[in-house]
Amino acid sequence: MAQQKPSAQKKQRSIDDIRKGDAKTSSGIPPKFQTPLAIVSIFVVLLIFFSGVLSKDKAFNAGDNIASQSILPYLNAAQAAGTSVPQWIPNIFCGMPSFASLISTGARTYDIVHEGFDLVRDIPVAVFGGNDAMIHIWHYFIFGLGMYLLLRLGRKTSHLVAFFAAFSAMFSTWIVTYVMIGHNTKVFAVMCFPYILLALEKLREEKVTWQRMVFWCSALAIALHFLLESSHPQMAFYQFLAILIYFIVWLITDLKNKRNVVAVLRTGIISLVMVGLAFAMSADRYLASLGYDSYSIRGASPLVDRLTLGTGVEQKATSSTGVSASGGLDWNYATEYSFSPGEMITFIVPGWYGFGKQSYSGPEVQGEAKVPTYWGQATMTDCANYTGVIVFFLALIGIFSLWKRERLIAPLAIISLFALFLSFGSTFSILFKPMFNYFPAFNKFRAPMMALVLMQMCFPIIAALTLQQIIDSIKNADDKALKARLTKYTTYALYVAAGLFVVFLIGRGIFDGMIRSGIKASGKPLAGYPQSIQDLAVSTALNDAAICTLIAALAIGALWMYLRGKIKNAAIPLGLVIVLTVIDLWRVDYRPLDITNKSDYDAAFNEHDYISFIKQDKSLYRVLDMNEPTSNIPVSWNLQTIAGYHAAKMREYQDVVDVTGDAQGFYIFNPFMWSLLNTKYVIANGAVDSIQGRMTPVFVSKEPAQSREGKKEQTIVWQNNAVLPRAFFVRSYEVHQPLEYLKLMRDGSFSPRDVLFFDKQPEGMPATIDSSIAPNETVEITKYENENVELKTTTNYPRLLFMSDTWYPNWQAELDGKPTTMYKADWAFRAFAVPAGTHTLKLTYHDNKYETGRMISLVTNVIAVLGLVLGIGTTMKKKKEL
C-alpha cells in the first residue's frame, strides 16, 4: 500500500496538470478571461430563456404567487407604520401569527448577511426596471454559479465542463419550473446546495490552512443560513438528509479502504458547529416558528381525532387539514403526490405520461392556452421529472465506471437513489413508510415526489464529472483501466440509446395504441378531454421518444468516437454535448413556461366595484368572499376575512372550521358563525341564506355576471343583519367538552350574548354577574392595530367580555395598566373578565422567542461576516484557484 500511494498521487497530479494545460491551449480565450466569460454566459443563458418575462408589462402566470403577493399591502402598511417585522396579521382566519408562521418576513436589518445579499441582488433588478421576475432569475444565476464553482474549485474541471454542470442544473426541468408556478422559496433553497457541497469538499481536504479553514467554515455557515432562510422546511430537510448521507458514505468508504478517518470526523464536527451557527443566524425566525409549531395544524392533532383516541373509533382528518392524531400528517394526505416506478421512463422520455402543462390551440380555446395533459398516477403535476437525456446517460456511465475513481460519485449516486425510493411514497413504500413512522419530523411533510429534487441536483454534477473524466482519459494515457471502463460503459449507453431510438421509431403505431389505452384507463381528466387534446398528449410522447433518444445517441456517439480515437479534438464532442443539452432541455423546459400580460395578472388584485362599496364602511368588521374563499386576495384590498390561505393554519381555528363550517374543512359556510365572528358582509354570486331577512342584499355588482353551477349570476354583497361586534359582553359561561359546544356553535342553538364556553374551569376567573346587559354598558374599540389593541369598557357590574379574534399565548393583556388574564373561549377565541365601571383594556403582542432570536441573529451574523472577511483577507495573496 505504501508503494502504491505515491503512484496514485502522481497520477492525480498528472490529471490536474492535463486539465490546467487544456484550459490554456484548447481555446483561443486567454485563461484570465475564461472564468469571467463562463460566469457571464451562465447569466446570459438565463436572460435568453426568460426574455419573455423581463419587460415590465409581462409576468409569470403562476397562481401560487397570488397568495404571497396578496400579503404585500399588509406588509407595506405595517412598515409604513414603523413596524419593520410585523408579528400578527388580523386579515385572515380571524388573526394569526405573521412572522412565526412565515406568512411575511419584513426588513430584518439585523440579518447582515441576508441584507448584503439582497443589496447585491437589487442591482440587476434595478437594471431590468425593477422587474420582480429578475429576483428569481438572479437566484437561478446564484445556483448555476455555485455549480460552476463546485466543479472548478472542488473538482478542478475545465471551464466548459463546469458550464455544462451549471446549465444542466439550472434547466433541469422541475427546477426551472419552480419559478413558473410560483414555488419561489424552493428556488432559494435549491440555490444553496452547491455551495454547501463545495464548502464540505474544501473542508475535507487533508491539508487546509487555518485561513482557508476559517473562510470555508464561514461559507458553509452562510450557505446553510440561506437554506434555512428559504422558508421551505421540506426542501431544507432533504438537503440536510443529503449531507447526512454524504458523511455516512464518506466514513464507510474510508473505513473500508483503511484510511485515516480524522478528516471525516473533523469535517463532521465542524459541520455540526456550522449548522448550529446557521440556525443561530436565523434564530429570530426559527425560535418564533418553533414556538408557533405546536399551535399549528402541522404540530397539533385535530380535535376530532384527539377526542377519539383510545375509543377504537378512528376518525380521519379532513382533506384540508390532513393531520393525524399523532400530530403528523395523515398518511393519505402526506402521500397524495407520490411518484410511480413506472414513470421513471420520463427520465428519458419526458412526455410519456402527458408531461403536465402544454401549449394548445384549438376550437375549444381562444388563441393559445396551457392545458394539463398529464395522465399518470399522481393527482396532477406541472411537468415531468426530467434532468435531460444526455445528463441521465452520462450520470449512469459515471456511476458504473467511476464509482471508486471519483470521490463525489458514490455519495451523490446514493443520495439520488435514496431520493428516488423516497419519492415513491405510497406506491412503493419500502423506504417512505419507515421514514414516515420513525424519522423525526418527516411525517410533517407531504408530496413525496418532491424528494426527487436531490436527484435533479446530483445528476448534473455526476454527469459533468463523467464528461471531464472522458476528456481526461485520452490525455492521461497511463491509466488504461480507466479508459477501458469508460469506453465499455459508454458503448453500452450508445447501444441502449440507439436501440431505443430504433424501437420507438419502428414501433410508433404500437406505442400510440398503448398510450391511448393508458389515457382511457387512467381516470384522469385527460380521458374526458376532446380528442384533439388527447392527440396532443400522444404526439408529445411519441415525438419525445424519438427526439430524446436520438439526441442521446448523437451525444454519446460523439464521446464514444473520441474514446475510440475516431475524433482527436476534445472540443468537438464536448461542444456537441453542450449544444445538444441546450436543445434538449430548452425544448422541454419551454412547455410549462406560461407568460401573461402584467395587467391580466394584476387583474386578480383589482378592486371590484363591490369591494369599493364595502370599503365605504369604516367600522371594524370582517367579510367572506365566496368567490375567493380559500384565497388571500381580500388581504390585498385591506379587508379582514374569516377565510384565507395558509399551509400551516392555527390548529384551534381549523378545528372550528372543521366542525362548524359545513364546507368540508375549507372555510366557514354557516350564518350563525358569520355573526359570531363579526362577518358583516358576504360576497357571493346569488343567494347565500334561506332564512328570510337574516341577510340583506345591499349592492349588486355592475361587472359582468359570473357563472355558477351552469348559470350566470351577478355578484351581490349581502349584509348580515345579525352580525355581532368584534367585542361584546356575555352574561355567563359554561364548561363543556370542546366537541360538545362546537356542535352547539355549528347548529346555532344558543345566543352568543348569553353564554360563552370553556373546555375547563377558567383559573382565577373573578366573579361576574349573570344578568341582562343594560344599554349603557358598552365596549368601544379605540385602537385596532396589528400588534396593539385597546378597548374601553363601561359596565354596571363585573362582566365577561368576548372578542372574536383568535387566542394565542403571545398576546398580553393589561387592565388599567395592570396584567390581566386573556382566556381561551369557544375553543379558539378570546375572553376577559372586566370589573364594574369604566376601564381600559390593552392587548399587546409580544414574542419573547423572537426578541431573543433577533439578538442571537445579530451577534452570529457579525461572527460569520468577520470569519468570511478574515478568510478572504488572509488568502488574497495566494495563488488563485480559478
Side-chain angles (χ1 to χ4, degrees):
M1 295 297 292
Q3 294 177 348
Q4 293 177 356
K5 187 175 181 180
S7 175
Q9 289 178 339
K10 182 178 179 181
K11 187 176 293 182
Q12 186 59 49
R13 284 196 301 271
S14 172
I15 291 175
D16 291 344
D17 290 341
I18 287 167
R19 293 177 183 176
K20 290 176 183 177
D22 184 62
K24 295 178 181 178
T25 61
S26 63
S27 71
I29 303 170
K32 65 179 180 179
F33 295 125
Q34 290 179 8
T35 291
L37 181 60
I39 293 173
V40 169
S41 299
I42 293 170
F43 190 54
V44 168
V45 293
L46 286 167
L47 295 181
I48 294 172
F49 183 82
F50 288 113
S51 59
V53 78
L54 290 179
S55 63
K56 281 188 175 181
D57 60 344
K58 297 294 182 181
F60 291 113
N61 191 15
D64 284 358
N65 279 337
I66 291 177
S68 58
Q69 292 194 14
S70 297
I71 302 296
L72 289 179
Y74 150 80
L75 181 60
N76 294 335
Q79 293 178 339
T83 305
S84 59
V85 183
Q87 299 288 317
W88 184 265
I89 178 168
N91 302 75
I92 57 176
F93 305 124
C94 295
M96 68 179 292
S98 173
F99 182 75
S101 67
L102 307 179
I103 288 177
S104 64
T105 297
R108 298 170 58 250
T109 54
Y110 44 85
D111 189 343
I112 300 171
V113 170
H114 207 146
E115 285 291 299
F117 178 84
D118 287 348
L119 285 174
V120 175
R121 182 200 64 192
D122 289 343
I123 296 173
V125 173
V127 169
F128 285 87
N131 192 306
D132 290 341
M134 179 51 64
I135 295 174
H136 312 301
I137 293 172
W138 183 255
H139 295 160
Y140 278 109
F141 167 69
I142 298 300
F143 175 50
L145 176 62
M147 284 291 183
Y148 177 84
L149 294 175
L150 171 64
L151 271 295
R152 283 289 295 146
L153 294 179
R155 303 309 303 138
K156 295 182 173 59
T157 67
S158 71
H159 295 277
L160 284 175
V161 170
F163 174 82
F164 168 78
F167 182 91
S168 301
M170 291 188 302
F171 292 101
S172 184
T173 301
W174 244 120
I175 289 178
V176 80
T177 301
Y178 287 151
V179 72
M180 303 178 195
I181 58 178
H183 292 191
N184 302 319
T185 56
K186 292 180 181 177
V187 181
F188 198 87
V190 164
M191 174 190 79
C192 305
F193 182 75
Y195 298 95
I196 295 171
L197 193 55
L198 174 59
L200 292 175
E201 280 291 291
K202 285 299 182 179
L203 288 171
R204 75 180 285 181
E205 293 177 357
E206 292 185 7
K207 295 182 180 180
V208 186
T209 63
W210 71 266
Q211 297 96 333
R212 295 199 176 200
M213 179 75 72
V214 170
F215 174 82
W216 288 112
C217 283
S218 299
L220 177 59
I222 290 171
L224 291 168
H225 171 58
F226 280 132
L227 176 61
L228 296 173
E229 289 285 285
S230 68
S231 301
H232 202 294
Q234 188 168 355
M235 295 291 282
F237 176 90
Y238 289 144
Q239 292 194 42
F240 279 114
L241 190 62
I243 295 170
L244 177 62
I245 295 172
Y246 171 88
F247 274 105
I248 291 173
V249 174
W250 180 13
L251 178 61
I252 293 174
T253 301
D254 279 5
L255 289 173
K256 182 180 178 182
N257 295 328
K258 298 181 180 180
R259 294 195 189 105
N260 191 339
V261 297
V262 171
V264 183
L265 299 177
R266 180 195 68 198
T267 309
I269 293 170
I270 290 173
S271 298
L272 287 174
V273 174
M274 293 306 105
V275 168
L277 182 60
F279 269 102
M281 292 170 70
S282 305
D284 60 322
R285 185 188 302 275
Y286 280 92
L287 288 180
S289 296
L290 289 172
Y292 173 68
D293 183 67
S294 59
Y295 295 93
S296 78
I297 62 172
R298 295 297 178 100
S301 58
L303 176 65
V304 288
D305 282 340
R306 182 158 56 236
L307 292 178
T308 54
L309 284 174
T311 64
V313 178
E314 185 179 9
Q315 185 171 348
K316 292 293 184 184
T318 67
S319 60
S320 65
T321 62
V323 184
S324 69
S326 66
L329 295 180
D330 173 74
W331 172 263
N332 293 327
Y333 181 70
T335 60
E336 184 178 0
Y337 290 89
S338 295
F339 191 60
S340 168
E343 291 188 43
M344 288 192 294
I345 191 175
T346 59
F347 296 161
I348 300 174
V349 185
W352 192 263
Y353 282 90
F355 187 79
K357 293 180 180 178
Q358 293 196 73
S359 296
Y360 171 76
S361 58
E364 302 84 1
V365 299
Q366 294 183 352
E368 188 174 84
K370 294 287 184 179
V371 296
T373 59
Y374 175 73
W375 58 273
Q377 177 229 244
T379 303
M380 60 165 289
T381 188
D382 289 284
C383 67
N385 284 280
Y386 186 64
T387 60
V389 69
I390 298 174
V391 170
F392 181 78
F393 273 102
L394 276 175
L396 290 184
I397 292 170
I399 290 170
F400 284 105
S401 60
L402 302 173
W403 186 272
K404 296 181 180 180
R405 171 73 180 199
E406 173 57 62
R407 72 187 191 190
L408 271 178
I409 295 289
L412 294 182
I414 292 172
I415 289 169
S416 300
L417 187 63
F418 192 93
L420 178 63
F421 277 92
L422 206 60
S423 72
F424 291 148
S426 60
T427 60
F428 185 57
S429 59
I430 187 171
L431 178 59
F432 188 88
K433 193 163 188 176
M435 287 278 291
F436 185 83
N437 289 333
Y438 303 112
F439 204 92
F442 188 74
N443 64 357
K444 295 181 184 295
F445 303 134
R446 65 188 299 249
M449 188 169 63
M450 200 186 302
L452 285 173
V453 69
L454 295 179
M455 178 180 171
Q456 291 151 6
M457 292 188 295
C458 290
F459 262 43
I461 301 171
I462 300 174
L465 293 173
T466 305
L467 187 58
Q468 185 66 63
Q469 290 283 9
I470 289 174
I471 299 302
D472 289 343
S473 66
I474 298 299
K475 300 180 178 69
N476 188 27
D478 294 337
D479 198 341
K480 296 181 180 179
L482 173 63
K483 181 186 175 184
R485 287 197 306 273
L486 286 168
T487 304
K488 173 184 175 181
Y489 289 105
T490 301
T491 303
Y492 290 163
L494 177 60
Y495 288 163
V496 172
L500 286 174
F501 171 70
V502 172
V503 168
F504 286 132
L505 201 63
I506 295 176
R508 187 178 179 94
I510 298 173
F511 290 120
D512 183 296
M514 288 174 54
I515 294 171
R516 291 185 187 278
S517 298
I519 293 173
K520 185 177 181 180
S522 69
K524 288 292 187 293
L526 181 62
Y529 285 178
Q531 189 64 44
S532 56
I533 298 179
Q534 293 186 34
D535 291 343
L536 171 64
V538 174
S539 63
T540 298
L542 297 176
N543 291 340
D544 277 356
I547 294 172
C548 291
T549 51
L550 176 61
I551 287 174
L554 291 174
I556 303 303
L559 293 173
W560 178 82
M561 292 178 70
Y562 175 76
L563 286 167
R564 297 295 298 270
K566 305 294 184 181
I567 298 177
K568 303 297 183 182
N569 189 345
I572 295 175
L574 186 55
L576 184 63
V577 164
I578 292 174
V579 170
L580 289 175
T581 297
V582 173
I583 295 171
D584 175 38
L585 285 173
W586 277 11
R587 187 183 70 85
V588 176
D589 293 346
Y590 271 114
R591 292 175 188 171
L593 183 59
D594 192 2
I595 297 173
T596 186
N597 292 327
K598 190 72 162 54
S599 57
D600 293 338
Y601 178 79
D602 290 341
F605 306 103
N606 288 348
E607 191 169 292
H608 302 281
D609 56 358
Y610 50 87
I611 298 298
S612 300
F613 169 80
I614 291 173
K615 290 177 70 172
Q616 296 178 50
D617 186 340
K618 303 302 180 182
S619 63
L620 188 62
Y621 56 85
R622 295 189 179 98
V623 303
L624 174 63
D625 188 349
M626 297 294 292
N627 295 329
E628 304 285 352
T630 57
S631 166
N632 290 334
I633 287 181
V635 182
S636 69
W637 300 322
N638 198 30
L639 294 174
Q640 296 180 18
T641 175
I642 62 173
Y645 171 78
H646 193 262
K649 293 175 280 188
M650 292 186 71
R651 174 69 270 163
E652 273 114 355
Y653 188 78
Q654 184 61 51
D655 289 335
V656 173
V657 175
D658 286 341
V659 179
T660 73
D662 294 330
Q664 298 181 336
F666 291 107
Y667 60 96
I668 295 176
F669 188 85
N670 184 328
F672 176 83
M673 291 301 298
W674 294 347
S675 299
L676 177 64
L677 300 183
N678 188 222
T679 311
K680 188 174 183 179
Y681 299 105
V682 176
I683 303 164
N685 298 333
V688 294
D689 188 18
S690 60
I691 297 180
Q692 186 71 26
R694 182 156 61 179
M695 308 291 291
T696 301
V698 291
F699 184 83
V700 179
S701 175
K702 296 180 176 59
E703 296 178 6
Q706 299 185 40
S707 178
R708 180 189 181 191
E709 296 179 357
K711 299 179 181 178
K712 285 193 173 183
E713 300 185 74
Q714 294 296 135
T715 299
I716 301 173
V717 176
W718 296 84
Q719 181 170 319
N720 181 8
N721 298 320
V723 66
L724 291 164
R726 185 67 55 92
F728 55 89
F729 293 123
V730 184
R731 290 176 52 189
S732 63
Y733 71 85
E734 296 178 5
V735 177
H736 296 287
Q737 288 293 316
L739 198 55
E740 293 178 12
Y741 62 73
L742 282 175
K743 289 179 178 178
L744 295 175
M745 293 163 65
R746 178 195 64 194
D747 300 334
S749 55
F750 69 97
S751 170
R753 291 187 182 272
D754 287 340
V755 60
L756 57 78
F757 300 103
F758 298 111
D759 52 292
K760 60 183 178 180
Q761 183 65 35
E763 295 181 7
M765 172 69 75
T768 57
I769 299 299
D770 182 1
S771 64
S772 299
I773 310 297
N776 67 337
E777 296 183 278
T778 59
V779 181
E780 180 186 0
I781 298 179
T782 56
K783 178 190 284 187
Y784 195 89
E785 298 174 349
N786 293 338
E787 287 92 35
N788 294 282
V789 178
E790 291 186 11
L791 303 91
K792 181 181 178 181
T793 64
T794 302
T795 62
N796 298 329
Y797 306 100
R799 294 293 189 186
L800 285 170
L801 173 65
F802 175 83
M803 189 174 187
S804 58
D805 287 13
T806 49
W807 179 93
Y808 190 66
N810 286 347
W811 280 96
Q812 300 172 355
E814 290 184 350
L815 187 67
D816 298 330
K818 297 180 180 179
T820 190
T821 302
M822 182 177 74
Y823 299 96
K824 182 160 69 77
D826 291 358
W827 189 239
F829 307 101
R830 307 175 189 179
F832 309 88
V834 296
T838 299
H839 301 278
T840 299
L841 179 64
K842 292 185 178 181
L843 309 178
T844 305
Y845 187 94
H846 183 81
D847 189 345
N848 288 324
K849 292 183 175 63
Y850 165 73
E851 296 296 339
T852 301
R854 184 171 63 173
M855 292 303 300
I856 296 173
S857 296
L858 176 60
V859 172
T860 50
N861 265 267
V862 171
I863 292 173
V865 171
L866 289 177
L868 202 62
V869 171
L870 178 63
I872 293 174
T874 54
T875 56
M876 283 184 65
K877 294 182 180 180
K878 292 184 177 294
K879 185 179 179 181
K880 293 181 180 180
E881 293 180 273
L882 289 178

